[in-house]
Amino acid sequence: MLKRKILLSVLGFSMLSSFSFAKAKKAKEVDPVKAVNELAPVERKASKPSEGVYYSLFVRAFADGDGDGIGDFKGLIKKLDYLNDGDDLTTDDLGITGLWLLPIFESPSYHGYDVDDYYAVNHEYGTMEDFEKFLAECKKRGISVIIDMTCNHSSIYNDWFKQSKDSSSPYRNWYRWINDLDFVDNGGLYNRSQKGLAGNIWVIDLTNPVMGPDGQALKDRKGQTVMNYYAGLFSTGMPDYNLDEPAVRSEFKKVFKFWMDKGVDGFRFDAAGHAYNVAEVKPGSETITKSIAFWKEMNDYLVSLNPDTYSVCEVWEPTAIRARYMAGIPSNFHFDLGTLISQIINNQEANEDMNVPVDPDVNTYNGFARSLEGFYNLYKENNPNYIDAPFLSNHDQARSAASLQNKPAKIKMAADMYILAEGLPFIYYGEEIAMKSGSDDPSKRTPMVWAKDGKDKFTSKWNDSPMYERSNLYNRKTVSVKEQEKDPESILNHYKRIIRVKTAHPALFKGRLKAFNLKSPVLESYFMESEEESAFVVHNVSSKTTESINLPENVQDYSLVYAANPGVLVEDGKLTIPPLTSVVLTKNK
């Protein structure tokens, strides 16, 4: 049995930090031993688009490179070294391996999810040449790029939609058009009052009556003019595609190839679970099977273009349905995982505050790890090659810091819990500095806080108008990137550490999870196994130190590669772990 003792004192950590966090000089070599307890260079081994850690950002809000107040590609290029400078010997950068850009196409809205032209970039973000330069700079740094793709709907200004208004146009069947005679009250099949996500799903086109064979507007049996309607699940300005139309499928494949030829590594597919929404198809239609078949066809085409492509679907549904979609595109976002993690951490604190007695026979079930294992087993049933995509919050949700009571220790704990789970974790921009938000969408997409009081020349000001004035309130007290970079205990520097651990260990970035119960009411623990490596992960979700916990017998010769906080002790097969602390031990095979 290999005896191993590692104990880092608070004093020792403070002494070491003066080297690591004062504008660090480039190290001469990677230092995995130092990286156990502090931010230090490590070798990144994650290399494919489907490996590592992704960062999700809203170009409009991230960095303004031309001084017009709106984030753009030039600003993004200027800030790439913050995300990953391409050098494993530095620690100034976050260390992410991939980027997901929220919509970059021409669009009438600030958010971009209603697309005017799938072959053009938003002119407010720059030119196509600017975007191509951005992709080239990402490649230099080993950063994969996926872009947001909306196949569910377009904008009403899209040329395809405008041409589809003509019933004789070849584009007519590209969208879901019906008329008054198709509603139940006129003997048809569709419900006139069927609700979507922003009102009635069937939107009347007041400029487009149905014409009879005589060239006159058609009348119904009540003498009313028969009008045309289109499906708009998300809004009246977002008409839904008819994905049964072969020409639509063919066109989207052309769109995919256009962007992949430019160097994009894949796509984030918006509203993937609504491709065949039950509200807009004929009653009795089986929608999920058709939707999965559509996405499988799209994914098979993407793989034919690039076997290493990576794409991920937004299926905001219960786990059982989300798991089914893995048979279409093998990666789906893990909705509600952030909520589960927050509940575990907050409930533990609440029980401690109320001195709730612990029954060891009831409260040692390793609930988080077992829940994860259950999710993954469902995914595996539908696709053994699934890739989970965990996250804490995204652009449609209130930012995660609030659910963790804005407490740094909890925020760090939550980061470890989801990044050290299976799959490809996504960090929503600003999460690494604990940015805040309200419940409205603009407040969830406010400018990145680079420096105090916006004193970074690249700070976006896109929301500096009366319309968005309220959204600016939430981050007045957020500690900026510049300030956190100087603090060795900051949330930002913690994210840098955990990202480096994830991307350095194959067991963590491509391994499969198996829960293992350490018989403790406050420890969550599991193995991660890949062909090259085994890892044992432990999270202490309580506010108290747990001492002399027996490690599994086969972990005795594992090496400690990550201790989130000072005070971790591994000795004689036993583990002591401080409050709200994660530990990773690994062994090469």
Side-chain angles (χ1 to χ4, degrees), residues 264-410:
V264 165
D265 294 286
F267 304 93
R268 178 266 186 183
F269 288 111
D270 178 63
H274 294 292
Y276 287 88
N277 192 281
V278 69
E280 58 191 28
V281 297
K282 292 180 179 180
S285 299
E286 206 296 305
T287 58
I288 294 179
T289 299
K290 289 188 71 173
S291 186
I292 293 169
F294 169 78
W295 290 117
K296 186 176 188 309
E297 180 183 333
M298 297 301 107
N299 190 65
D300 288 348
Y301 177 73
L302 294 173
V303 172
S304 75
L305 296 177
N306 177 8
D308 287 331
T309 186
Y310 171 75
S311 292
V312 58
C313 278
E314 179 199 32
V315 181
W316 201 334
E317 300 289 350
T319 303
I321 295 177
R322 188 172 67 242
R324 289 183 63 185
Y325 276 83
M326 294 289 189
I329 286 184
S331 188
N332 279 264
F333 284 113
H334 196 142
F335 281 91
D336 302 323
L337 183 63
T339 300
L340 174 62
I341 289 172
S342 296
Q343 288 174 343
I344 289 171
I345 296 171
N346 291 332
N347 288 347
Q348 178 62 36
E349 180 184 55
N351 289 339
E352 291 171 359
D353 289 344
M354 294 185 293
N355 293 315
V356 175
V358 175
D359 182 343
D361 293 327
V362 175
N363 294 317
T364 59
Y365 56 86
N366 202 22
F368 178 64
R370 289 182 61 184
S371 294
L372 289 176
E373 189 174 23
F375 297 143
Y376 303 147
N377 285 338
L378 274 176
Y379 298 162
K380 184 166 57 179
E381 289 175 9
N382 291 275
N383 189 337
N385 298 315
Y386 71 88
I387 301 174
D388 197 23
F391 65 97
L392 291 179
S393 61
N394 68 15
H395 61 288
D396 288 323
Q397 300 172 319
R399 286 183 173 275
S400 62
S403 67
L404 295 158
Q405 302 169 336
N406 297 315
K407 295 182 178 181
K410 287 187 174 185

Side-chain angles (χ1 to χ4, degrees), residues 112-358:
Y113 281 101
D114 42 350
V115 178
D116 287 352
D117 185 350
Y118 288 88
Y119 294 97
V121 295
N122 189 323
H123 69 279
E124 293 183 315
Y125 295 170
T127 65
M128 186 65 79
E129 184 180 2
D130 293 333
F131 181 69
E132 291 168 348
K133 183 177 179 181
F134 157 74
L135 288 177
E137 291 297 323
C138 286
K139 297 303 179 189
K140 288 179 185 177
R141 294 163 173 79
I143 301 174
S144 302
V145 177
I146 65 174
I147 61 174
D148 225 311
M149 183 65 64
T150 305
C151 298
N152 186 73
H153 52 263
S154 72
S155 83
I156 56 175
Y157 304 106
N158 189 298
D159 281 343
W160 303 338
F161 179 69
K162 289 189 288 187
Q163 293 185 62
S164 78
K165 288 172 173 280
D166 181 353
S167 60
S168 64
S169 167
Y171 291 93
R172 179 67 171 187
N173 205 39
W174 283 39
Y175 294 85
R176 296 188 181 278
W177 286 100
I178 63 173
N179 62 55
D180 280 302
L181 301 180
D182 294 310
F183 291 123
V184 173
D185 55 7
N186 280 323
L189 296 173
Y190 296 94
N191 183 350
R192 188 186 295 272
S193 60
Q194 178 70 55
K195 298 298 182 184
L197 300 178
N200 286 347
I201 192 171
W202 294 107
V203 182
I204 188 170
D205 183 357
L206 294 173
T207 66
N208 193 9
V210 177
M211 307 304 291
D214 58 358
Q216 302 297 313
L218 192 66
K219 305 290 184 180
D220 65 13
R221 57 192 177 189
K222 298 177 183 178
Q224 301 294 316
T225 299
V226 177
M227 302 300 294
N228 281 298
Y229 296 74
Y230 61 88
L233 179 70
F234 285 89
S235 85
T236 59
M238 297 181 178
D240 289 355
Y241 290 111
N242 171 22
L243 297 178
D244 280 329
E245 171 57 47
V248 174
R249 297 184 179 215
S250 177
E251 188 65 37
F252 271 119
K253 290 174 183 177
K254 292 178 184 177
V255 170
F256 302 161
K257 187 175 188 305
F258 175 84
W259 292 103
M260 291 185 74
D261 284 347
K262 289 189 177 297
V264 165
D265 294 286
F267 304 93
R268 178 266 186 183
F269 288 111
D270 178 63
H274 294 292
Y276 287 88
N277 192 281
V278 69
E280 58 191 28
V281 297
K282 292 180 179 180
S285 299
E286 206 296 305
T287 58
I288 294 179
T289 299
K290 289 188 71 173
S291 186
I292 293 169
F294 169 78
W295 290 117
K296 186 176 188 309
E297 180 183 333
M298 297 301 107
N299 190 65
D300 288 348
Y301 177 73
L302 294 173
V303 172
S304 75
L305 296 177
N306 177 8
D308 287 331
T309 186
Y310 171 75
S311 292
V312 58
C313 278
E314 179 199 32
V315 181
W316 201 334
E317 300 289 350
T319 303
I321 295 177
R322 188 172 67 242
R324 289 183 63 185
Y325 276 83
M326 294 289 189
I329 286 184
S331 188
N332 279 264
F333 284 113
H334 196 142
F335 281 91
D336 302 323
L337 183 63
T339 300
L340 174 62
I341 289 172
S342 296
Q343 288 174 343
I344 289 171
I345 296 171
N346 291 332
N347 288 347
Q348 178 62 36
E349 180 184 55
N351 289 339
E352 291 171 359
D353 289 344
M354 294 185 293
N355 293 315
V356 175
V358 175

Side-chain angles (χ1 to χ4, degrees), residues 466-526:
M467 181 183 299
Y468 303 113
E469 184 176 2
R470 182 170 170 268
S471 68
N472 281 315
L473 301 176
Y474 295 97
N475 286 295
R476 289 180 300 176
K477 297 182 179 179
T478 295
V479 182
S480 69
V481 168
K482 187 174 182 179
E483 293 169 284
Q484 292 202 33
E485 284 178 331
K486 299 174 183 177
D487 177 8
E489 303 292 340
S490 70
I491 294 167
L492 173 59
N493 281 316
H494 184 86
Y495 262 91
K496 290 180 182 180
R497 290 188 63 205
I498 191 60
I499 291 169
R500 280 165 169 76
V501 173
K502 179 79 169 186
T503 59
H505 291 280
L508 300 178
F509 64 74
K510 60 181 176 180
R512 294 303 193 200
L513 180 147
K514 181 69 175 177
F516 185 91
N517 196 339
L518 286 175
K519 307 296 184 183
S520 166
V522 298
L523 297 183
E524 298 288 350
S525 49
Y526 48 89

Side-chain angles (χ1 to χ4, degrees), residues 33-86:
V33 174
K34 184 178 288 187
V36 172
N37 295 303
E38 62 176 293
L39 179 58
V42 296
E43 179 188 0
R44 182 177 70 182
K45 295 181 180 178
S47 59
K48 296 181 180 179
S50 57
E51 297 174 346
V53 177
Y54 270 67
Y55 191 86
S56 165
L57 64 85
F58 185 33
V59 176
R60 183 177 296 274
F62 197 66
D64 171 22
D66 61 11
D68 67 354
I70 295 174
D72 49 39
F73 299 131
K74 289 181 179 178
L76 186 47
I77 291 170
K78 292 291 186 181
K79 293 295 186 180
L80 278 180
D81 282 349
Y82 165 77
L83 298 170
N84 191 330
D85 63 11

